[in-house]
Amino acid sequence: MFCKNCGKEIDDRAVYCPHCGAETAVTTAVYSAPQYPQYKDTTNNMAVIGFILSFFIAIAGLICSIIGYKKAKEEGLDNKGLALAGIIISSLSMAAGVILFLFYMSFIVAIFL
């Protein structure tokens, strides 16, 4: 084998070149850390939080679900359907709240007039 730094012939098992002291390919093969595949977390936590909140606090569920849906589209994350379900449930819950509020207000106005 030849040294990649000075070009002189060296022993195949040499870790360092005896002529210039440069590391050889053996050094990187022996002392390099093993390469593991990188794990990419594709869980969309905001979609899950938005879905859960949509049952309890509609406006917070709607906001979190919209953010989760947007992240799912842009970054290719999971739970896009869960975010969409959170948006629908929150919207229906808020619409029902508005309808009930209007109904009660008209009922109160009818009683006092």
Side-chain angles (χ1 to χ4, degrees):
M1 157 168 81
F2 293 93
C3 176
K4 63 182 177 183
N5 189 38
C6 66
K8 294 185 179 178
E9 188 172 1
I10 56 174
D11 186 21
D12 289 340
R13 297 170 293 171
V15 177
Y16 295 99
C17 175
H19 305 287
C20 67
E23 292 184 2
T24 64
V26 175
T27 305
T28 56
V30 172
Y31 296 111
S32 64
Q35 298 296 320
Y36 297 106
Q38 294 294 322
Y39 173 73
K40 182 181 178 195
D41 186 18
T42 60
T43 304
N44 190 349
N45 295 330
M46 193 60 75
V48 175
I49 292 169
F51 179 74
I52 293 170
L53 283 177
S54 67
F55 290 103
F56 303 106
I57 307 169
I59 190 71
L62 181 64
I63 292 169
C64 291
S65 293
I66 289 172
I67 293 170
Y69 187 79
K70 186 177 178 183
K71 281 178 66 174
K73 268 179 97 172
E74 291 174 353
E75 300 173 15
L77 299 176
D78 296 337
N79 299 332
K80 185 177 178 182
L82 199 61
L84 185 59
I87 292 170
I88 292 170
I89 293 168
S90 295
S91 300
L92 291 175
S93 177
M94 288 173 37
V98 169
I99 291 170
L100 284 174
F101 176 75
L102 293 175
F103 174 74
Y104 288 131
M105 290 305 291
S106 65
F107 183 71
I108 290 171
V109 168
I111 290 175
F112 291 113
L113 289 182

